[in-house]
Amino acid sequence: MKKLKNEIRYTANPTDFKNYATKRLRDDFLIEDLFEDNQSKAVYSLYDRFVVIGIKPTQQPIKLDTYNEWTKSDYFLERRELGIINVGSSGIVMVDEIDYQLEKKECLYIGSGKRDIVFKSNSPQDPAEFYVNSAPAHKEYPTVKASLADANKVELGDQETSNQRTIYQYIHESGIQSCQLVMGFTELKTGNVWNTFPPHTHKRRMEVYFYFDLDPDQITMHFMGAPEETRHLVVKNKQAAISPEWSIHAGAGTKSYAFIWGMAGENQSFSDMDAIDLKTIK
């Protein structure tokens, strides 16, 4: 099976970041082309050693790689944990010979110590697309599957400010237990375009935003950078933006959409945010 080139992304000094042109911003912080038929792609970020993987099995199952060049381990989850949200059609994740059926927007958490992880689609013509986030782990937590009904739902925003949205929390301090990984997704209501606004930072955690359910001819403007020195990325469907601890992370789309947020760092408190006064944004 031909595999897409895996990438490593280095951290950036916020002072140097101010001088980045469009290509440098996209090369360092935007993850494109995560999903191709019967292939996998992984991006290893040195922000909290976070790994993003896209897996799309079509003609045959795909086994999770060890990525030994990064982990120096016998198997990927020897010292790691991961979360999966399916953004395609139905599929199966086999964890040490146990099958877990995942429908679209359902989540599976796999703790450290699990050796063999295999991804399959129920239909090669209508494949699953498994979006994976992984972080280092210091102990093993149980494998847990969660449906939409199991998620902690939080309603935020309003129509007047175009940011009415529903947050589905899966892996978090009061939900699926993990060492440090926090993961879920946010779905904007029809007619709303702003996410995570007003913006914030959280110096204790990095974050990755993965945008999906965005029409192919639409875009999202993802805003990042220090509050007084912001930049933007033009993001399309099924692309992800890496957000450093010191950076805001907010977006506005040309149409409503959804996005998966994955975090790792010093704590798992979803509400641990440093709010930004809009008067200071530049």
Side-chain angles (χ1 to χ4, degrees):
M1 180 190 73
K2 180 183 176 182
K3 182 178 291 185
L4 293 174
K5 180 182 177 182
N6 299 317
E7 304 176 31
I8 188 167
R9 301 288 181 95
Y10 294 91
T11 57
N13 183 302
T15 301
D16 297 337
F17 175 87
K18 298 176 184 179
N19 300 311
Y20 287 7
T22 300
K23 185 178 185 305
R24 179 68 185 275
L25 284 171
R26 295 178 67 85
D27 287 347
D28 283 10
F29 299 103
L30 183 65
I31 303 174
E32 302 176 273
D33 303 321
L34 264 176
F35 295 105
E36 289 198 16
D37 288 353
N38 224 50
Q39 297 190 5
S40 67
K41 177 178 180 176
V43 173
Y44 182 97
S45 170
L46 287 181
Y47 288 109
D48 287 298
R49 302 190 179 278
F50 200 82
V51 177
V52 174
I53 309 172
I55 300 174
K56 185 178 181 181
T58 51
Q59 300 305 317
Q60 61 190 31
I62 297 177
K63 183 175 181 179
L64 182 66
D65 199 337
T66 301
Y67 303 109
N68 182 261
E69 69 274 22
W70 300 334
T71 64
K72 302 299 180 185
S73 60
D74 292 332
Y75 55 99
F76 186 66
L77 294 183
E78 185 175 353
R79 298 182 299 271
R80 284 188 160 269
E81 60 187 357
L82 62 78
I84 306 162
I85 295 179
N86 183 9
V87 296
S89 296
S90 60
I92 295 170
V93 181
M94 186 169 66
V95 182
D96 287 351
E97 305 299 326
I98 299 175
D99 285 351
Y100 295 88
Q101 177 83 25
L102 281 190
E103 302 298 330
K104 185 175 182 180
K105 298 179 182 176
E106 291 187 331
C107 175
L108 181 68
Y109 169 81
I110 307 174
S112 65
K114 301 300 183 185
R115 286 181 172 269
D116 296 315
I117 318 297
V118 179
F119 298 84
K120 299 181 276 187
S121 293
N122 288 339
S123 168
Q125 291 75 36
D126 192 16
E129 292 176 302
F130 299 103
Y131 176 72
V132 181
N133 285 174
S134 174
H138 62 273
K139 63 176 287 187
E140 181 178 352
Y141 281 98
T143 299
V144 178
K145 176 195 167 180
S147 67
L148 283 173
D150 300 317
N152 181 47
K153 289 177 62 176
V154 180
E155 303 290 342
L156 287 178
D158 57 61
Q159 192 70 43
E160 185 177 359
T161 49
S162 303
N163 66 350
Q164 193 174 13
R165 59 200 188 274
T166 304
I167 297 175
Y168 295 85
Q169 297 173 336
Y170 279 132
I171 306 169
H172 63 110
E173 58 183 347
S174 300
I176 299 174
Q177 296 297 288
S178 68
C179 291
Q180 64 166 317
L181 183 65
V182 179
M183 195 174 183
F185 74 95
T186 299
E187 197 168 54
L188 275 71
K189 305 290 187 183
T190 301
N192 291 263
V193 297
W194 278 102
N195 71 64
T196 320
F197 208 83
H200 62 265
T201 62
H202 31 71
K203 290 188 174 66
R204 293 146 298 280
R205 295 195 304 271
M206 64 81 69
E207 190 160 5
V208 176
Y209 273 20
F210 171 81
Y211 291 91
F212 71 108
D213 279 357
L214 182 65
D215 290 347
D217 58 344
Q218 304 296 312
I219 62 170
T220 297
M221 306 296 288
H222 179 86
F223 299 100
M224 62 179 302
E228 69 281 0
E229 190 82 35
T230 62
R231 300 291 185 270
H232 71 269
L233 294 168
V234 176
V235 182
K236 296 183 179 180
N237 190 44
K238 294 180 181 174
Q239 295 181 348
I242 298 170
S243 180
E245 296 90 338
W246 45 265
S247 173
I248 66 166
H249 32 283
T254 53
K255 197 174 182 180
S256 56
Y257 53 92
F259 68 98
I260 295 170
W261 36 267
M263 295 179 269
E266 188 169 339
N267 66 34
Q268 296 178 297
S269 175
F270 190 85
S271 60
D272 180 12
M273 305 173 186
D274 303 313
I276 306 300
D277 188 335
L278 289 183
K279 291 183 289 187
T280 68
I281 293 285
K282 296 180 181 177

